[in-house]
């Protein structure tokens, strides 16, 4: 090997190292950020988050085209979409417990809970009590409502949490 080829070999090894690192980082971030789920929990059965010890249960679901918040204000779902409301219970609440879970749909679609207010008759998530009974709201394409897998705590970890299946909507 001549002295003239040594810099080229070093350069080629550096490029190879950068490529391997880039591919590895891309795979790592893809696995962590996609809406993969680790199985499913049947509708109505509780699931306990191994990180916090908090137990979550899906109680019921509702679908609405319009949500009347007060006598004078209402939220209307966009064309082709529907509000999917998920009634949850949460016990053994800690400071690390999560209130709002992601909704997982077909082909790793993921929706986060909407933050607009629901009517007073629908409970809100609270960190001040050891257990809470609350509702989450999602805006979902109407054609996909029957294909929703469930709700899950979406931590960006290698061990993905299961999806808690949803019961059929009550209305």
């Amino acid at each position: 090997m001549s002295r003239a080829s040594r810099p080229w070999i070093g350069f080629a090894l550096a490029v190879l190292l950068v490529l391997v690192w880039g591919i590895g980082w891309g795979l790592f971030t893809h696995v962590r950020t996609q809406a993969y789920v680790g199985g499913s929990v049947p509708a109505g059965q509780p699931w306990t988050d191994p990180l916090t010890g908090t137990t979550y249960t899906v109680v019921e679901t509702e679908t609405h085209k319009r949500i009347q918040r007060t006598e004078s204000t209402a939220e209307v779902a966009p064309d082709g979409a529907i509000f999917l409301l998920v009634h949850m219970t949460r016990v053994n609440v800690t400071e690390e417990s999560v209130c709002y879970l992601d909704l997982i749909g077909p082909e790793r679609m993921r929706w986060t809970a909407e933050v607009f207010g629901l009517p007073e008759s629908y409970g809100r998530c609270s960190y001040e009590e050891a257990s809470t009974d609350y509702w989450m709201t999602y805006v979902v394409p109407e054609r996909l409502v029957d294909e929703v897998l469930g709700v899950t705590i979406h931590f960006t970890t290698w061990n993905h949490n299961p999806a808690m299946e949803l019961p059929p909507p009550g209305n």
Side-chain angles (χ1 to χ4, degrees):
M1 182 180 319
S2 71
R3 284 189 149 202
S5 64
R6 285 185 190 163
W8 288 106
I9 292 173
F11 176 74
L13 288 174
V15 168
L16 181 63
L17 181 65
V18 169
L19 283 173
V20 168
W21 180 86
I23 291 169
W25 183 254
L27 178 64
F28 176 74
T29 57
H30 174 75
V31 167
R32 287 180 47 139
T33 60
Q34 293 297 309
Y36 294 107
V37 292
S40 63
V41 175
Q45 289 191 9
W47 172 76
T48 302
D49 179 2
L51 293 176
T52 64
T54 303
T55 300
Y56 297 86
T57 307
V58 177
V59 178
E60 64 181 314
T61 60
E62 296 179 0
T63 56
H64 299 274
K65 288 295 279 178
R66 174 189 169 101
I67 297 176
Q68 192 73 34
R69 291 172 44 198
T70 66
E71 286 184 27
S72 60
T73 60
E75 293 287 335
V76 179
D79 289 341
I82 197 161
F83 293 116
L84 176 62
L85 279 62
V86 179
H87 184 189
M88 300 287 299
T89 61
R90 192 173 69 142
V91 296
N92 301 325
V93 176
T94 67
E95 289 181 14
E96 294 83 27
S97 298
V98 175
C99 263
Y100 298 102
L101 288 72
D102 290 343
L103 182 69
I104 306 297
E107 299 185 25
R108 295 192 303 268
M109 291 180 175
R110 182 176 67 172
W111 295 274
T112 56
E114 296 294 318
V115 293
F116 68 84
L118 289 168
E120 291 296 320
S121 60
Y122 289 80
R124 288 165 177 67
C125 190
S126 169
Y127 285 99
E128 298 168 3
E129 301 171 20
S131 65
T132 56
D133 188 331
Y134 65 102
W135 289 81
M136 299 180 297
T137 306
Y138 304 92
V139 178
V140 180
E142 198 165 1
R143 64 183 171 76
L144 295 178
V145 169
D146 293 333
E147 297 180 45
V148 168
L149 301 175
V151 292
T152 188
I153 296 176
H154 182 69
F155 290 123
T156 52
T157 63
W158 287 103
N159 299 323
H160 297 283
N161 293 314
M164 291 177 278
E165 295 175 0
L166 305 179
N171 60 329

